[in-house]
Amino acid sequence: MSLVKTIPEIVETQMCSGCGVCAYLAPDAIKMVDDVKLGRRPIIDSDAGLAELHDAAGACPGKGLNHSFDTEDPELIQELLPAWGPVYGLFEGYSGDAEIRFHGSSGGAASAIALYCIEELGMYGALHVKKREDVPFLNRTSLSRNKEELISGAGSRYAPASPCDGLELIEKAPGPCVFIGKPCDAAATQHAASLRPKLNENLGLNIAFFCAGAPSSQGTLDLLKEMGVSDPMSVKELRYRGKGWPGMAEAVWVDSSGEKRSAQMTYADSWGKLQKYRQWRCYVCADHTGELADIAVGDPWYRPQDSSDPGKSLILARTNRGRQIIKDAIEKGYLVAEPVEAWTLPASQNHLLMTRGMIWARMLVCKLLGANAPRFIGFPMFRFWLSELTFRQKIQSVLGTAKRVFKKKLRKRLRVEPYEASGNEHSSGQ
């Protein structure tokens, strides 16, 4: 199968990750919408010309990622290099601000670093995702400029988000800004910065958080239904985790009698349900740990989870710039963290090498059966298919993908179906 080259083809063949970078690069031709089954997706103006969409396609992480860095750099942690990309420093810690730590998903490290950049380095703000105030189970892109605004967007949002559609806010800012997003978002931002000099000048720091995939809005709607919410539009607050590690999912809503109600679900149970709704592009993603960012943060899953634990973050310096900012944030007290040994990373994400191997098989099967697949340069995969999967898992990775090609209609062109949130999503049959 030939490589996907245009935004319409990327979207219609389910290669889109929903990052929104195309809407930033071609704002007159593209806008982002919500599709309840697929996630955030671009709608392309029928009058748009190929020239308008050229840069948008060039920066799109959906069609693949090109990962290049100096593998001979002696400052890299060589032990991690073959499987985990560039790591200049590995730390474990949490926000020095108790409120940020409490609201964050795993110690609030990303928010703490962003606050350090704003308050100590004079950066203008941090671009990240928050809930929509009118529809809390949907997301919006926002530029936060102080601690209170950062906290309002702290914590995981396991719902479709397109933070790159707000990169214009960084480009037009009077000074450098922080970007916070998924690994694909961080990669798209780096690519866009190579095309837009002003964005490159104003991109003060690029932070990614570890990602296991982005569930569709339908996942959240079904989760709310299981928690007892009959009308999603009655939801006033929705938290996926946080306020403890890993924290509880919690919904707060007003029932038909006007009474305020709430329900909780453990992280294991809620994510166990949501992950089944991940978009297809996430099943063929080789970067789950933000290899193209300056800093990547994630959960230190090597430690036993305890709901009374306020949480810690695993913090990776992916560039020298990222490493220096981490160290300075620690010195200034914004981060309480210390270096940890290299084994901590694979122990915290012990399934990812097996996943890398499976992705190689998934892409191969897609191509053989006439479905599109992304292209990854600088992300080893085949070696892990050989070394990390049992014979049975190798067979399953092939047969399972073949089944998905037909079940998910990967050989067909799918149209984006925008939807507006209303009170009848549960009965929509979607």
Short mmCIF file of all heavy atoms in Angstrom, two decimals, residues 68 83 253 322:
data_model
loop_
_atom_site.label_atom_id
_atom_site.label_comp_id
_atom_site.label_asym_id
_atom_site.label_seq_id
_atom_site.Cartn_x
_atom_site.Cartn_y
_atom_site.Cartn_z
N SER A 68 15.21 11.57 14.40
CA SER A 68 16.66 11.61 14.17
C SER A 68 17.33 12.38 15.30
O SER A 68 16.89 13.46 15.67
CB SER A 68 16.97 12.24 12.82
OG SER A 68 16.50 13.57 12.76
N ALA A 83 16.11 1.18 22.87
CA ALA A 83 14.66 0.94 22.92
C ALA A 83 13.84 2.15 23.30
O ALA A 83 12.64 2.20 22.98
CB ALA A 83 14.37 -0.19 23.91
N TRP A 253 -22.99 15.03 38.81
CA TRP A 253 -24.06 15.48 37.93
C TRP A 253 -25.32 15.82 38.73
O TRP A 253 -25.39 15.56 39.95
CB TRP A 253 -24.37 14.41 36.88
CG TRP A 253 -25.07 13.19 37.38
CD1 TRP A 253 -26.41 12.90 37.33
CD2 TRP A 253 -24.47 12.03 38.00
NE1 TRP A 253 -26.68 11.67 37.87
CE2 TRP A 253 -25.52 11.11 38.29
CE3 TRP A 253 -23.15 11.68 38.36
CZ2 TRP A 253 -25.28 9.88 38.91
CZ3 TRP A 253 -22.93 10.46 38.97
CH2 TRP A 253 -23.97 9.58 39.24
N GLY A 322 15.81 20.34 27.97
CA GLY A 322 14.91 19.76 28.95
C GLY A 322 15.63 19.40 30.24
O GLY A 322 15.11 19.65 31.35
#
